[in-house]
Amino acid sequence: MAMAMMMDQIDRWRDSANSWLDQYEPVALVVVPIISIVIARAVKSTIDGVAEKGGRATVVELFMRLVKLVPGVKSYIDAEKQKIVDQMQSNKSNRDGWMTELPEMGMGSGVIGTMKEKKMNDVAWQGKCSGTVYIAGRESEGHFSLINEACSMFAHTNPLHMDVFQSVVRFEAEVVAMTAALLGSKGKASGGQICGNMTSGGTESILLAIKSSRDYMKARRGITRPEMIIAESAHSAYDKGAQYFNIKIRRVPVNSEFKVDVKAVRRCINRNTILIVGSAPGYPHGIIDPIEELGKLASKYGVCFHVDLCLGGFVLPFARKLGYALPPFDFTVQGVTSISTDVHKYGLAPKGTSVVLYRNHEIRKHQFVAVTEWSGGLYVSPTIAGSRPGGLIAGAWASMISLGLEGYLENTRQIMEASKRIQKGVKEIPELFVIGKPDMTIVAFGSNVVDIFEVNDVMSSKGWHLNALQRPNSIHICVTLQHVPIVDEFLKDLESSVKTVKQNPGPMKGGLAPIYGAAGRMPDRGMVGELLVELMDGTC
């Protein structure tokens, strides 16, 4: 009886629906739902865009897409972009004579002489580059010579073959353990399970931490549409990781002290959040984010928390021992699940050496790739690269063992003092101001009086290679041991460059100030991205 009544009700609903739909053309009944789905997807895409990029950026992007549909506009924009790319690739015309295929006859050992000759064309980097080279002295002496010999001794090795190159396997384990000890592994708060691996650099360490956090949170909480929260000052490697691993970025602003806005981070945490990021310090301004506060958020909401110590890992622990007042930044902070730190920066190891650390093995296991169905046999690899250069691992081990605690303390004392002198000297130039209060060895500065990018161009003409920043427009110097003996020269050249620009404002011939300035003002950030891709696409 009940079934009959239900079927009768269904028949009445069906008749009513058919009667109501009879007033519409059949084609409309097909087309309208399709159009509705398209509109709904467009609305969702717009809402997602606003959430990710902000309303203004989303509107500008949509407007530019529409403008490019106008006949002739796209080709005009492409031509103008190419002019800028050509200007930035001014050295591309000097590629005559570059090798494009193997020589008919090999040069044998004579190739070393050719390499030395070509190396003479490199820029004179000694003491003049922001960051870049962290070891003091010349490359044929002292610490340079030591790590070069260590790398050469193990150049043929590959830790993938653990049973063959047991010395390199041990070197890696010891570098990881020593690095972990610097960052809190010996303290009770660490949990006693800190583990990790060596990688090719800070970017790979960050990528692995992102990948491991994503997979760990998927296994633990079933998150399939992952999101991570980063500050606008966080390194670009996080954007790369988001693109590689299909993770949505929620980018939050920094506060008036140029530290990540913790309240903004909290507002962005949701059921899809897998990871929040803090920097110690941030690359742009050398300022440490509030790691303790972020750790409390991570613990409260049960999400992963990565601390980027790529710059600070081999400075901050020693600076703290020297008495510098620094906020907590390592595994002693509850909530921190992973840390990245570069040995090839202030660890003074050869280029291509970094360490990624995890609070426990449960998280790190999600970093590994194990393959069981390959006809080549069973395979497991800890990092993105399969084969890895054992010579670099050996060079990192040699660097750390040769310097020891006392060596790193002395190096840190020198570069911290040099950084404070530079910071003080910049403040004494009335046209300049220092960005925030640097915690470490990066000093960023801008100006409300002169075009800071024009100042950068004049400094470049004097042989300096500094880093141009945006939001706000500024430049910075990352102080290394190379700069310790020439702080006064730097400040003298900087003061002179400011005076030159103040007396003769306007871009200098061949300078990049107009390009940096235009890029900073360009509302269509998608177009800026296209410019960068075009520039990179022409490098080789």
Side-chain angles (χ1 to χ4, degrees):
M1 185 71 175
M3 179 63 71
M5 290 178 64
M6 185 176 70
M7 294 302 297
D8 184 59
Q9 182 65 40
I10 291 174
D11 287 340
R12 284 200 297 270
W13 285 343
R14 183 182 61 194
D15 292 341
S16 177
N18 288 333
S19 175
W20 183 75
L21 292 171
D22 277 344
Q23 61 185 310
Y24 299 102
E25 293 288 336
V27 67
L29 297 177
V30 174
V31 172
V32 169
I34 294 174
I35 293 175
S36 299
I37 292 172
V38 172
I39 292 174
R41 291 188 65 177
V43 170
K44 183 180 183 301
S45 177
T46 301
I47 292 173
D48 289 344
V50 170
E52 182 176 350
K53 305 171 186 176
R56 182 172 180 270
T58 303
V59 170
V60 169
E61 184 178 320
L62 179 61
F63 175 75
M64 290 305 300
R65 285 182 183 177
L66 295 174
V67 167
K68 289 177 183 178
L69 295 176
V70 177
V73 171
K74 186 177 184 301
S75 58
Y76 173 78
I77 292 175
D78 289 343
E80 291 301 307
K81 282 195 301 185
Q82 192 58 49
K83 289 179 183 178
I84 297 174
V85 171
D86 290 342
Q87 184 177 347
M88 297 183 74
Q89 289 179 336
S90 56
N91 64 338
K92 192 174 180 180
S93 59
N94 300 327
R95 294 189 175 190
D96 293 340
W98 283 31
M99 302 294 292
T100 58
E101 57 184 357
L102 281 171
E104 191 69 27
M105 295 294 295
M107 297 179 66
S109 60
V111 71
I112 299 298
T114 300
M115 292 175 74
K116 289 180 178 179
E117 180 184 328
K118 293 185 182 300
K119 190 178 180 183
M120 296 294 290
N121 295 323
D122 288 351
V123 169
W125 49 263
Q126 290 84 355
K128 292 283 190 173
C129 295
S130 171
T132 312
V133 179
Y134 291 77
I135 303 171
R138 299 189 174 276
E139 57 199 297
S140 59
E141 59 189 26
H143 192 77
F144 272 115
S145 180
L146 183 144
I147 63 170
N148 287 343
E149 184 175 350
C151 289
S152 177
M153 189 186 308
F154 291 87
H156 61 288
T157 64
N158 179 358
L160 181 66
H161 303 286
M162 294 185 290
D163 55 332
V164 178
F165 303 114
Q166 297 176 29
S167 57
V168 171
V169 173
R170 175 175 175 172
F171 291 156
E172 176 176 15
E174 292 185 353
V175 167
V176 169
M178 290 186 290
T179 304
L182 292 174
L183 300 174
S185 70
K186 301 298 184 181
K188 288 184 179 180
S190 73
Q193 290 193 52
I194 306 300
C195 54
N197 290 92
M198 289 191 68
T199 72
S200 63
T203 293
E204 186 183 359
S205 291
I206 289 168
L207 291 178
L208 289 173
I210 292 172
K211 189 265 183 191
S212 302
S213 300
R214 182 197 67 175
D215 293 354
Y216 172 71
M217 292 298 286
K218 181 178 180 181
R220 183 181 170 205
R221 290 172 46 179
I223 295 176
T224 57
R225 300 179 66 184
E227 299 180 4
M228 64 178 172
I229 305 169
I230 68 172
E232 61 185 20
S233 57
H235 195 274
S236 53
Y238 298 97
D239 289 86
K240 184 179 287 189
Q243 292 184 35
Y244 282 3
F245 302 128
N246 195 26
I247 297 171
K248 180 178 179 178
I249 282 184
R250 290 192 177 271
R251 201 182 313 272
V252 300
V254 294
N255 59 24
S256 59
E257 297 178 327
F258 293 90
K259 301 176 182 180
V260 63
D261 186 333
V262 177
K263 291 182 179 179
V265 172
R266 187 180 64 235
R267 287 194 296 269
C268 286
I269 294 176
N270 59 41
R271 63 183 180 181
N272 290 321
T273 303
I274 60 162
L275 180 68
I276 60 179
V277 173
S279 302
Y283 166 82
H285 313 120
I287 296 171
I288 299 175
D289 284 329
I291 303 301
E292 270 194 317
E293 294 180 53
L294 293 173
K296 289 177 182 177
L297 277 183
S299 297
K300 179 180 178 180
Y301 291 98
V303 300
C304 293
F305 174 29
H306 181 77
V307 179
D308 188 342
L309 273 156
C310 288
L311 266 171
F314 280 83
V315 174
L316 296 179
F318 306 111
R320 185 164 54 189
K321 287 181 180 292
L322 291 170
Y324 285 92
L326 297 168
F329 52 80
D330 55 21
F331 282 114
T332 60
V333 177
Q334 289 300 314
V336 174
T337 53
S338 58
I339 286 176
S340 54
T341 185
D342 289 355
V343 199
H344 66 207
K345 289 188 173 75
Y346 293 105
L348 308 189
K351 290 298 181 187
T353 51
S354 179
V355 172
V356 59
L357 299 169
Y358 299 94
R359 182 168 288 275
N360 56 52
H361 293 269
E362 182 184 1
I363 302 173
R364 185 178 66 154
K365 286 177 180 177
H366 293 279
Q367 174 184 293
F368 303 154
V369 172
V371 181
T372 61
E373 306 306 309
W374 180 35
S375 59
L378 300 178
Y379 177 89
V380 63
S381 174
T383 59
I384 292 175
S387 292
R388 292 185 290 153
L392 296 183
I393 294 172
W397 186 88
S399 179
M400 294 178 72
I401 296 299
S402 68
L403 288 167
L405 176 61
E406 291 302 321
Y408 282 118
L409 283 170
E410 176 57 22
N411 289 341
T412 301
R413 183 190 64 78
Q414 291 185 41
I415 57 175
M416 288 294 285
E417 289 179 358
S419 301
K420 297 304 179 186
R421 286 174 58 200
I422 289 177
Q423 187 176 338
K424 181 176 181 292
V426 170
K427 288 181 177 179
E428 290 174 352
I429 300 174
E431 293 84 2
L432 302 181
F433 60 86
V434 174
I435 306 290
K437 296 179 180 178
D439 290 302
M440 212 184 83
T441 53
I442 291 175
V443 182
F445 47 92
S447 176
N448 294 321
V449 179
V450 295
D451 187 324
I452 198 66
F453 295 140
E454 291 179 12
V455 172
N456 193 29
D457 281 344
V458 178
M459 287 292 282
S460 295
S461 72
K462 296 177 183 290
W464 294 94
H465 299 269
L466 307 179
N467 300 104
L469 313 174
Q470 60 180 352
R471 299 175 184 175
N473 287 352
S474 51
I475 55 181
H476 85 202
I477 180 169
C478 177
V479 181
T480 74
L481 290 171
Q482 288 280 331
H483 302 119
V484 170
I486 56 172
V487 169
D488 291 337
E489 180 184 347
F490 171 78
L491 292 172
K492 180 181 177 181
D493 284 350
L494 180 60
E495 184 176 20
S496 171
S497 298
V498 170
K499 287 181 179 179
T500 298
V501 173
K502 190 173 182 180
Q503 293 170 1
N504 303 283
M508 62 184 296
K509 185 176 181 181
L512 296 178
I515 295 174
Y516 280 120
R521 293 189 299 271
M522 196 177 292
D524 184 6
R525 308 313 290 170
M527 188 178 296
V528 177
E530 291 172 7
L531 277 172
L532 295 175
V533 170
E534 291 291 339
L535 177 65
M536 182 57 63
D537 192 47
T539 56
C540 63

